[in-house]
Amino acid sequence: MNNTAASPMSTATSSSGRSTGKSISFATELQSMMYSLGDARRPLHETAVLVEDVVHTQLINLLQQAAEVSQLRGARVITPEDLLFLMRKDKKKLRRLLKYMFIRDYKSKIVKGIDEDDLLEDKLSGSNNANKRQKIAQDFLNSIDQTGELLAMFEDDEIDEVKQERMERAERQTRIMDSAQYAEFCESRQLSFSKKASKFRDWLDCSSMEIKPNVVAMEILAYLAYETVAQLVDLALLVRQDMVTKAGDPFSHAISATFIQYHNSAESTAACGVEAHSDAIQPCHIREAIRRYSHKIGPLSPFTNAYRRNGMAFLAC
Amino acid sequence: MASAPWPERVPRLLARRLPPYPPPPPTVGLPSMEQEETYLELYLDQCAAQDGLAPPRSPLFSPVVPYDMYILNASNPDTAFNSNPEVKETSGDFSSVDLSFLPDEVTQENKDQPVINKHETEENSESQSPQSRLPSPSEQDVGLGLNSSSLSNSHSQLHPGDTDSVQPSPEKPNSDSLSLASITPMTPMTPISECCGIVPQLQNIVSTVNLACKLDLKKIALHAKNAEYNPKRFAAVIMRIREPRTTALIFSSGKMVCTGAKSEEQSRLAARKYARVVQKLGFPARFLDFKIQNMVGSCDVRFSIRLEGLVLTHQQFSSYEPELFPGLIYRMVKPRIVLLIFVSGKVVLTGAKERSEIYEAFENIYPILKGFKKA
């Protein structure tokens, strides 16, 4: 799914006019998040700023599309169903989102059982909160599922390769840490957009929207933002790995022209050498990752542009 | 509460000699008579254990073998090993026991409680050793082994009929099997910590009871002190008492939920107190089907745990989403307990219906956690 934002290739991505002069910046949090996702100990500030722009752009556009869907059905708030609807095409990412929702439900159930105060509060709140997200997801997918493949996802037990890879990377990263570093790493891992819900809301400028997302929808948006950052880091690490020409690599002469062009463009050379000097992810890696991600490869790609809105593909869905 | 060495850890040699005995269901609140008989079996097992070594077992499997010990005590078919946890309970609270003496210590003998003496002498015609004491719950395998080595009974062929000396030298074959026992990762069914005597403490018990009569919640709320009732928010009276410090939810159907107690007896006592309050208000309250629904325990392993490693190797049991919750959620299958494991080393166990499940779960997880210790 695509958005109408400016192309990611420009360095100063300003998403839709409301971001200019915005005082809310998640750059420091993003730096921590990137560290916890596999970047170096101190990720670059420029990279964090770029990632923030990318995530912001994508989220704003996602929100706009979700608002459109909501309007279509005449609702007044953006509900999780709208977001699930937008994600229906990508099975793997949808499955990951569903798993996340279930784990959230499960965790509330357990924590409730442990603390008696929580238990009381839950009882007093009146509604049956157990598995609420799961129910929402199941009911909705039930209603839109024509072929049965969406519902099949609930029983699906395949390993999520992307998540697996992230777990392995984290494990490798932590194996060599001492306990002080590890404590710091754990704290970074705990950072998320949902912890800073109000800042997140302001960052997305939700108050100026006509149709606002409800609570569960905000949770999902925070999760999607985090997923976007994670995807960017995954892809950037891959790109960085590619950039390092290994001796004996038979294809080193065949690196794509655009790639070399990137390297030679004014902004990138300043930011990153051919071989990255520091361990941190450079903005050029991010840009290259997005370029590759948006690039539709296939026999019909030249002919699909007409149906594609310009701009970058969503990373999170 | 500390843990006693489980003789069944010492190899299942017994299995060779004795046909298996079907395990009786675990009973809660085992009376001391049976508890003593259990101890006797432990001894006898120890003796027979001298034959050889048992293969190591995965800590996740539940031992099947202990039951063969029953054969020795055919007269006590009801004794269950699962009863041991209850036994531990009644023995009182033992604080962490220092296991550093494993496996060559004799000094444990001194801590023995001469509880079972009389029973043993009944059963054990050969050996009337006054020193054949039941290892106290705070003992280790070693203690048992050493004890049994001092018994000379028909079941043990290895033992030179040692005298009453409870100082059977550690160099007896005992220590071999015992040192083996200490390295054999068997799943004990009792709260023996093969590690360092860390015992999970119960933090919360949720129980339900049926008062078996329809209740007028408004009347209760009006006349009882410490009662809240807000029918618009929730259809039950919330009552609290100070001793034991608990909260009860009383429904108009007569069912009641009692939470906040720190032990099974306290929960039962509190539930009875609430029932009495209701009774005093004029309702024909009874006390039916008291059942513990959930027990929560917690403890601290005192070292940092590398959760990323744990979630990778135990994927099918664990989920770790640090941005959602700082702890790893581990769903143990046997016993069916959910553990929340934190980086700091704190472990919370929940979902148990019995104390033994909490202990067993912790025993199962401890070696795994040690494997992911963050130096």
Side-chain angles (χ1 to χ4, degrees):
Chain A
M1 118 182 0
N2 310 303
N3 61 29
T4 47
S7 136
M9 313 224 179
S10 64
T11 32
T13 31
S14 131
S15 51
S16 51
R18 0 178 198 199
S19 62
T20 44
K22 67 176 187 279
S23 48
I24 302 176
S25 170
F26 271 104
T28 31
E29 287 92 345
L30 277 174
Q31 276 179 300
S32 279
M33 275 190 234
M34 284 163 58
Y35 168 50
S36 72
L37 288 165
D39 198 354
R41 177 64 196 79
R42 300 219 180 277
L44 296 178
H45 183 74
E46 304 89 61
T47 318
V49 167
L50 177 59
V51 168
E52 183 185 4
D53 267 333
V54 170
V55 172
H56 190 184
T57 311
Q58 298 213 333
L59 278 183
I60 296 282
N61 285 287
L62 183 62
L63 264 178
Q64 280 172 353
Q65 294 202 358
E68 283 168 27
V69 172
S70 269
Q71 248 172 351
L72 273 179
R73 53 185 193 100
R76 256 173 281 134
V77 287
I78 297 180
T79 60
E81 282 90 344
D82 299 322
L83 294 168
L84 285 173
F85 180 73
L86 290 174
M87 289 188 68
R88 68 196 185 285
K89 296 275 172 64
D90 190 333
K91 291 286 162 31
K92 293 203 178 129
K93 297 196 176 121
L94 183 55
R95 219 171 115 244
R96 215 175 299 146
L97 171 62
L98 289 173
K99 275 221 161 72
Y100 173 79
M101 287 165 76
F102 300 165
I103 293 184
R104 241 198 132 113
D105 276 339
Y106 186 62
K107 166 231 154 198
S108 340
K109 193 159 64 149
I110 296 183
V111 170
K112 205 193 345 160
I114 291 181
D115 193 359
E116 56 167 304
D117 297 326
D118 277 349
L119 173 73
L120 280 180
E121 255 176 52
D122 178 76
K123 295 256 191 258
L124 288 175
S125 68
S127 61
N128 184 14
N129 281 336
N131 290 349
K132 121 179 123 174
R133 298 170 189 91
Q134 186 171 1
K135 283 199 200 103
I136 294 175
Q138 261 175 337
D139 291 339
F140 178 66
L141 289 181
N142 221 333
S143 65
I144 65 168
D145 195 7
Q146 305 283 349
T147 56
E149 51 184 4
L150 290 176
L151 285 179
M153 271 195 304
F154 284 94
E155 284 97 48
D156 198 358
D157 256 345
E158 284 176 7
I159 297 184
D160 185 347
E161 285 142 5
V162 173
K163 249 204 126 70
Q164 180 77 13
E165 197 196 313
R166 286 184 202 157
M167 281 204 287
E168 285 171 11
R169 193 186 311 140
E171 202 267 328
R172 259 179 279 133
Q173 235 181 326
T174 53
R175 215 185 293 160
I176 50 177
M177 291 183 185
D178 66 25
S179 55
Q181 289 175 327
Y182 182 62
E184 209 186 332
F185 180 80
C186 278
E187 279 203 37
S188 304
R189 275 203 80 171
Q190 290 171 23
L191 260 180
S192 80
F193 289 100
S194 43
K195 293 250 165 64
K196 310 233 168 185
S198 53
K199 184 173 175 186
F200 184 62
R201 258 194 116 91
D202 293 336
W203 186 59
L204 288 177
D205 208 5
C206 286
S207 38
S208 69
M209 290 176 55
E210 276 177 33
I211 306 187
K212 301 192 202 336
N214 70 8
V215 174
V216 183
M218 277 312 282
E219 283 176 5
I220 297 184
L221 281 171
Y223 166 76
L224 288 177
Y226 188 80
E227 259 301 296
T228 310
V229 178
Q231 288 269 20
L232 275 175
V233 173
D234 284 348
L235 295 173
L237 287 174
L238 261 179
V239 166
R240 186 175 71 183
Q241 201 182 345
D242 269 353
M243 276 190 182
V244 175
T245 49
K246 299 172 255 307
D249 178 5
F251 293 107
S252 52
H253 65 278
I255 299 180
S256 77
T258 33
F259 188 70
I260 295 175
Q261 183 189 16
Y262 249 158
H263 269 293
N264 295 336
S265 72
E267 319 128 49
S268 359
T269 35
C272 64
V274 175
E275 318 288 327
H277 291 294
S278 75
D279 275 341
I281 296 179
Q282 315 279 347
C284 55
H285 299 143
I286 306 265
R287 272 183 235 118
E288 173 65 12
I290 297 175
R291 185 198 68 84
R292 288 193 201 175
Y293 188 82
S294 317
H295 182 55
K296 282 210 184 312
I297 302 173
L300 292 179
S301 54
F303 307 107
T304 57
N305 268 342
Y307 298 90
R308 225 184 99 177
R309 293 188 259 178
N310 252 348
M312 51 182 161
F314 278 125
L315 284 147
C317 50
Chain B
M1 142 172 353
S3 16
W6 253 132
E8 76 261 20
R9 304 169 143 220
V10 174
R12 324 286 177 176
L13 322 163
L14 212 43
R16 286 200 269 111
R17 299 137 132 260
L18 312 159
Y21 202 89
T27 52
V28 180
L30 189 65
S32 59
M33 169 78 91
E34 287 171 59
Q35 129 197 4
E36 286 152 31
E37 287 152 1
T38 313
Y39 291 147
L40 173 61
E41 289 160 18
L42 304 186
Y43 270 137
L44 298 177
D45 188 44
Q46 274 300 309
C47 306
Q50 303 318 313
D51 294 330
L53 310 174
R57 275 173 158 242
S58 150
L60 287 179
F61 295 147
S62 207
V64 174
V65 180
Y67 306 126
D68 46 42
M69 287 200 239
Y70 286 64
I71 281 308
L72 299 177
N73 243 337
S75 54
N76 302 314
D78 297 317
T79 337
F81 279 121
N82 287 347
S83 63
N84 230 19
E86 283 66 43
V87 165
K88 302 292 169 271
E89 205 179 296
T90 51
S91 318
D93 270 313
F94 295 93
S95 47
S96 299
V97 180
D98 178 23
L99 293 192
S100 54
F101 53 75
L102 268 172
D104 56 353
E105 240 354 285
V106 169
T107 51
Q108 272 305 33
E109 307 308 304
N110 308 331
K111 296 188 199 157
D112 287 354
Q113 305 155 359
V115 173
I116 345 133
N117 269 351
K118 49 183 178 352
H119 288 271
E120 282 166 3
T121 47
E122 282 163 24
E123 310 274 352
N124 232 344
S125 47
E126 292 78 16
S127 144
Q128 303 298 307
S129 162
Q131 263 98 0
S132 52
R133 296 182 205 140
L134 188 67
S136 67
S138 53
E139 274 197 6
Q140 308 310 315
D141 283 353
V142 176
L144 273 181
L146 294 175
N147 274 337
S148 61
S149 70
S150 68
L151 294 173
S152 56
N153 58 35
S154 54
H155 297 279
S156 160
Q157 280 145 13
L158 295 191
H159 281 176
D162 220 2
T163 59
D164 303 329
S165 154
V166 192
Q167 311 292 318
S169 30
E171 59 269 7
K172 301 215 96 195
N174 253 341
S175 20
D176 290 339
S177 46
L178 289 167
S179 33
L180 177 76
S182 57
I183 60 178
T184 304
M186 300 190 197
T187 305
M189 288 153 70
T190 60
I192 301 170
S193 21
E194 53 187 32
C195 36
C196 45
I198 303 178
V199 181
Q201 301 301 315
L202 291 181
Q203 302 294 343
N204 183 21
I205 308 231
V206 177
S207 56
T208 53
V209 72
N210 184 5
L211 303 177
C213 66
K214 292 273 171 282
L215 302 175
D216 179 356
L217 297 185
K218 229 163 150 195
K219 180 177 175 198
I220 296 178
L222 284 172
H223 292 101
K225 33 185 186 158
N226 302 330
E228 323 168 0
Y229 179 45
N230 191 345
K232 289 202 200 86
R233 284 186 78 194
F234 187 45
V237 167
I238 302 169
M239 201 186 291
R240 295 174 218 267
I241 56 174
R242 247 171 269 128
E243 186 52 50
R245 214 176 77 75
T246 50
T247 306
L249 300 175
I250 308 175
F251 295 84
S252 53
S253 59
K255 300 256 173 70
M256 180 170 76
V257 177
C258 171
T259 67
K262 300 266 194 240
S263 81
E264 300 91 320
E265 298 79 35
Q266 282 192 4
S267 196
R268 197 187 183 93
L269 177 64
R272 288 206 106 99
K273 288 193 179 177
Y274 289 113
R276 191 155 324 121
V277 168
V278 170
Q279 220 174 34
K280 290 214 175 117
L281 288 171
F283 298 96
R286 296 167 64 199
F287 198 76
L288 301 182
D289 307 325
F290 175 78
K291 183 173 177 215
I292 294 193
Q293 301 291 348
N294 186 26
M295 297 172 72
V296 179
S298 75
C299 56
D300 187 0
V301 300
R302 286 183 230 130
F303 52 78
S304 286
I305 305 170
R306 198 166 64 91
L307 298 178
E308 280 78 8
L310 181 57
V311 73
L312 199 57
T313 42
H314 292 253
Q315 273 180 61
Q316 58 279 54
F317 305 117
S318 23
S319 52
Y320 178 44
E321 302 283 336
E323 62 268 12
L324 189 54
F325 185 62
L328 184 150
I329 303 179
Y330 191 102
R331 275 188 258 202
M332 194 175 283
V333 173
K334 181 153 182 31
R336 217 170 69 82
I337 299 275
V338 174
L339 298 94
L340 301 178
I341 304 168
F342 297 87
V343 178
S344 56
K346 299 254 180 344
V347 180
V348 174
L349 307 95
T350 177
K353 293 266 194 300
E354 286 180 18
R355 196 183 274 250
S356 59
E357 291 176 3
I358 298 224
Y359 294 148
E360 195 185 334
F362 183 66
E363 290 306 323
N364 289 349
I365 201 78
Y366 190 82
I368 297 172
L369 296 182
K370 268 214 291 206
F372 292 102
K373 180 170 175 168
K374 196 65 188 151

